[in-house]
Amino acid sequence: MEIKSMTPEELSDYFRELGQPKFRAMQVFRWLHQGAESFDEMSNIPKTLRETLKKDCVLSAPVVERKQVSKLDGTIKYLWKLSDGNCIETVLMRYKHGNTVCVSSQVGCNMGCTFCASTLGGKVRDLTPAEILDQVLFTQKDSGEIISNIVMMGIGEPLDNYDNVLRFLSLVNHPDGMNIGMRHISLSTCGLINKIDKLAPLGLQLTLSVSLHAPDDETRTKLMPVNQAVGVDALMETCRRYFETTGRRISYEYAMIDGVNDSDAQADKLAELLRGQPGHVNLIPLNNVAESPLKPSCRVREFQQRLERHGVTATVRRKLGGDIDASCGQLRRKHIHQQ
Ligand code: SAH
């Protein structure tokens, strides 16, 4: 039993079965969510109970396998080693509005996007709720920096690990835990429409980011195999429904790739897709991936201006950690190669 993946209610039930008073569950919950690494640290928990917990439960605590600090902007990239030896990445970024942590949701990824380093070796396994939460807890603990925002934009497709990601969200949002508000959390997806439809009625106040990257099926399918099953029109229809149900506007990610998705005609098509739908486009300068022939576009500003002339709000993502392999999956990839 992985104790940090348990909700307060499940912990209460478990402690009741152990014949423990009710307040113990909350005491242990607080220890776990402060990043305790062993049951022995839990000094207000009786020794006999700590022994029982040690026997019954697994307490996850990742260790720093590598840590790279950017000289340019102070961004920190962690490579964590999990209990089974797998490694995942987390990035700590410092913005004026607060510290943001970018977390992974899976070990590897099955989505196969051609420009992304995370998917090169496929998916090894899903992360547990505790393992996703640990990235926030232990980044905060190791760096000594208070974390106020979370983006689920690291390795993996969060909606392909739906149940664990939802449980993580409720844990990290809990007032007795890290208490990070949903409005401070973004979840990025390659566009799994069934899962977006499943998420919508929950009405979570998080920001949904959809990786669009192309406004037409031909280009999008080339870049993102997941498009074959869905198609741009069905995806946009799903996004429209999501907005209608949740009232939350979607942020569309668009990595600018030289000669692939950066033409004026594609900007016009993109603006057309977004007509009548409050949304926002986040243009991402492509990060070079050694294994990929795709190159960054030089037309980012022109593309942005053209979108804005059509009345579409578009921002360009600032590049952080350019000197530390900070983009998706690069450090894990390098580490696997070196071993
Ligand atoms: N699986 C989720 C989250 C992953 S990554 C998703 O697809 O949205 C977060 C964002 O980074 C996605 O928009 C992804 O497409 C983008 N990305 C991945 N590799 C990139 C690269 N080399 N350059 C720029 N953006 C990249």
Side-chain angles (χ1 to χ4, degrees), residues 115-116 152-154 156-158 188-190 211 213 253 255 284-287 289 328:
F115 49 83
C116 181
M152 303 206 73
M153 294 187 182
E157 167 50 48
S188 179
T189 176
C190 62
S211 300
H213 302 317
E253 291 158 283
I284 317 176
L286 184 79
N287 285 298
V289 171
C328 295

Side-chain angles (χ1 to χ4, degrees), residues 159 162-163 165-167 169-170 173 182 187 194-206 241-242 245-248:
L159 296 186
Y162 187 91
D163 291 341
V165 164
L166 265 103
R167 185 175 272 252
L169 291 172
S170 83
N173 182 231
M182 284 292 172
L187 186 153
N194 297 338
K195 299 293 170 59
I196 295 175
D197 278 333
K198 193 171 164 186
L199 188 65
L202 305 182
L204 298 181
Q205 294 298 295
L206 52 73
R241 274 201 301 279
Y242 184 88
T245 310
T246 62
R248 302 287 296 163

Side-chain angles (χ1 to χ4, degrees), residues 62 78 80 82 88-91 101-106 127-128 130-140 147 154:
Y78 288 98
W80 301 105
L82 307 175
I88 49 155
E89 297 173 9
T90 307
V91 187
V101 75
C102 174
V103 300
S104 297
S105 55
Q106 297 176 317
L127 293 179
T128 65
E131 286 170 331
I132 306 172
L133 179 65
D134 280 340
Q135 297 172 63
V136 190
L137 282 173
F138 286 86
T139 297
Q140 178 163 288
I147 287 161

Side-chain angles (χ1 to χ4, degrees), residues 210-216 220 232 235-236 240 251-256 261-277 279-284 303-304 306-308 310-315:
V210 171
S211 300
L212 190 56
H213 302 317
D216 60 277
R220 191 164 192 267
V232 172
L235 175 59
M236 295 313 290
R240 205 160 287 131
S251 164
Y252 294 93
E253 291 158 283
Y254 198 102
M256 297 289 298
N261 64 359
D262 61 349
S263 70
D264 285 346
Q266 282 160 319
D268 297 345
K269 180 88 206 293
L270 178 57
E272 198 182 303
L273 277 184
L274 294 173
R275 189 157 305 140
Q277 186 194 149
H280 163 263
V281 176
N282 196 211
L283 299 171
I284 317 176
F303 199 86
Q304 179 193 24
R306 198 161 175 106
L307 286 175
E308 296 211 310
H310 284 294
V312 174
T313 37
T315 47

Side-chain angles (χ1 to χ4, degrees), residues 319-334:
K319 197 169 167 137
L320 291 174
D323 54 337
I324 56 163
D325 305 306
S327 54
C328 295
Q330 289 181 344
L331 184 57
R332 173 170 175 265
R333 196 75 202 143
K334 198 182 206 177

